[in-house]
Amino acid sequence: MKNKQINTARGAALKTLDQVLQNGAYSNLQLNQNLKSSQLSEVDKRLATNLVYGVLQHKLTLEYWLTPFIKGKKIESWVKTLLLMSIYQYRYLDRVPDWAVTNESIELAKQLGNPGTRRFVTGVLHAILRQGLGDVNAIVDPIKQRSVEFSLPQWLVDELIKQYGQPTADAIFKAVNEPARVSLRVNEAKTTIPQAIAVLKEQGVEVEPSQVAKAGLVVKSGDVVNTDAFMQGLVTIQDESAMLAVESMAVNPADQVLDACAAPGGKTVQIAAALDKKRGGSVTALDIHAHKIKLIEKNAQRLGVADRVHACQLDARKADEKFEDGQFDKILVDAPCSGIGLLRRKPEIRYDKKLSDSQNLHKIQLAILNAVAPKLKKGGIMTYSTCTILQQENDGTVQAFLAAHPEFRLLKTQTARTLKNARTGATLTILPSDYGSDGFFISNLQRL
């Protein structure tokens, strides 16, 4: 692809997709960077965002449809991405006429490639419009059929069906391809929920209370990041499910808390908002990377809780090097995980993961829990959470920890809105299909 700036929504989307698919860039960071450097209108930025996330979410489906039209042909990666993006628009964007999609795609091929590229793209798109797209229901193998229909790797389809059963798994498959909504946490260290709603409304942002998290708000319209409410730390962007781990901890104002896997600090500052510096409350936040420690500190400054936050560069598995046994009232282990609960928000991660990654992460999670457990006071609570829905990283890790630590017992995870309270198990799993929020797992372990 010629290194040429195309200042259109489709040009920005194509550039971003090529960087994500070919260079492994993170979709959210790369898209934000490209949109910030563009001259696009808000409408065009929304279209570019839709195209990027739509193509990433439906990539395997789009490739299934494209394959018969390019079979045996060697094409550059960006040309394939342009064709996938075109098919996505034909199939999923009802308001954009096919002729407009075709013309825009041919124009991009002309500007970014050579005359041969333009002719090739023109021929493929016209053939697609003439012949139509293949029927995914014609795939006989049920695992492969769902893999293609929902654009999920076959191992993940198979694993989720085994763990949750067919009906629940199908609901998950559908949910992870729906658009992610923006949610906020009200920073109750600085304001109240009614005040935050009123201030946001004044600044052109319409919200409604979350049905998932007590301090959560769901954005209906408006750009939050450029509001005074966000910049002054009255609210912060956080998924509703992600708020529940700290909510379940029932932090007391004078607690000494360890956040063992803290970056970028969303849960650290949530813990800090419940603490009172004058009464000795503080949270120690760990991460292995220096630049992420700075990120935690920056978050704490913006939200006005820096006096209660001590960020420290340390691998939680080396907790013995820094902390005394029985030092903390509460410990949060929001552990490194496969992130399968975040597929709606980070669609590209589904293509990079393998089942063995999840099994290896289980070992790391267990090592972190083993290392920090002695640092908890007797009677104290250790909250273990992940943003995955794979049971080997969730209940599997908890059960393995309990088997090795008879001095701990499992408590029932409680949330302010008593979510899924009729469940039989003590741990809480929020599926992407439950409330339209991210998938999340929370458990609470008490030291006896």
Side-chain angles (χ1 to χ4, degrees), residues 102-272:
T102 307
N103 288 351
E104 287 278 355
S105 299
I106 292 169
E107 185 60 28
L108 277 172
K110 180 181 170 184
Q111 292 184 51
L112 297 171
N114 55 41
T117 307
R118 178 186 58 76
R119 286 193 297 274
F120 175 73
V121 168
T122 303
V124 170
L125 294 182
H126 286 165
I128 288 169
L129 291 173
R130 260 195 331 272
Q131 297 172 35
L133 300 170
D135 182 2
V136 298
N137 292 315
I139 301 169
V140 177
D141 182 324
I143 300 296
K144 187 179 179 185
Q145 190 277 328
R146 282 173 170 80
S147 169
V148 171
E149 181 181 357
F150 298 107
S151 194
L152 293 164
Q154 290 188 42
W155 75 263
L156 183 57
V157 171
D158 188 44
E159 196 71 7
L160 290 175
I161 291 171
K162 283 177 185 169
Q163 293 186 11
Y164 292 100
Q166 191 74 69
T168 300
D170 279 344
I172 294 168
F173 302 153
K174 187 179 177 196
V176 297
N177 287 326
E178 290 165 354
R181 60 193 185 205
V182 177
S183 59
L184 310 173
R185 182 178 60 80
V186 176
N187 179 17
E188 294 178 286
K190 279 194 170 187
T191 188
T192 64
I193 293 168
Q195 284 172 339
I197 292 171
V199 170
L200 286 165
K201 190 172 185 179
E202 280 173 23
Q203 296 173 4
V205 179
E206 287 287 333
V207 295
E208 62 184 13
S210 166
Q211 301 303 303
V212 177
K214 179 174 168 285
L217 301 173
V218 177
V219 177
K220 295 171 77 179
S221 64
D223 180 11
V224 176
V225 177
N226 295 319
T227 62
D228 292 338
F230 179 81
M231 289 187 272
Q232 291 169 10
L234 304 184
V235 295
T236 189
I237 295 173
Q238 191 174 2
D239 185 77
E240 298 159 88
S241 296
M243 301 177 207
L244 297 176
V246 175
E247 193 177 283
S248 79
M249 290 172 73
V251 176
N252 297 310
D255 277 347
Q256 297 291 307
V257 185
L258 176 66
D259 187 353
C261 312
K267 295 179 186 68
T268 303
V269 294
Q270 188 181 354
I271 291 166

Side-chain angles (χ1 to χ4, degrees), residues 50 53-61 88 92 146-153 157 170-180 340-348 350-351 432-433:
N50 183 324
Y53 285 110
V55 171
L56 291 174
Q57 279 179 329
H58 299 284
K59 179 172 168 276
L60 297 184
T61 319
Y88 170 74
Y92 296 102
R146 282 173 170 80
S147 169
V148 171
E149 181 181 357
F150 298 107
S151 194
L152 293 164
V157 171
D170 279 344
I172 294 168
F173 302 153
K174 187 179 177 196
V176 297
N177 287 326
E178 290 165 354
I340 299 301
L342 307 179
L343 294 188
R344 188 191 277 119
R345 204 171 297 282
K346 296 180 178 178
E348 72 275 17
R350 67 185 79 187
Y351 308 116
S433 49

Side-chain angles (χ1 to χ4, degrees), residues 36-52:
K36 199 176 265 188
S37 64
S38 75
Q39 310 297 314
L40 297 177
S41 67
E42 287 307 312
V43 171
D44 279 345
K45 284 180 180 178
R46 283 197 293 274
L47 175 58
T49 301
N50 183 324
L51 294 176
V52 168

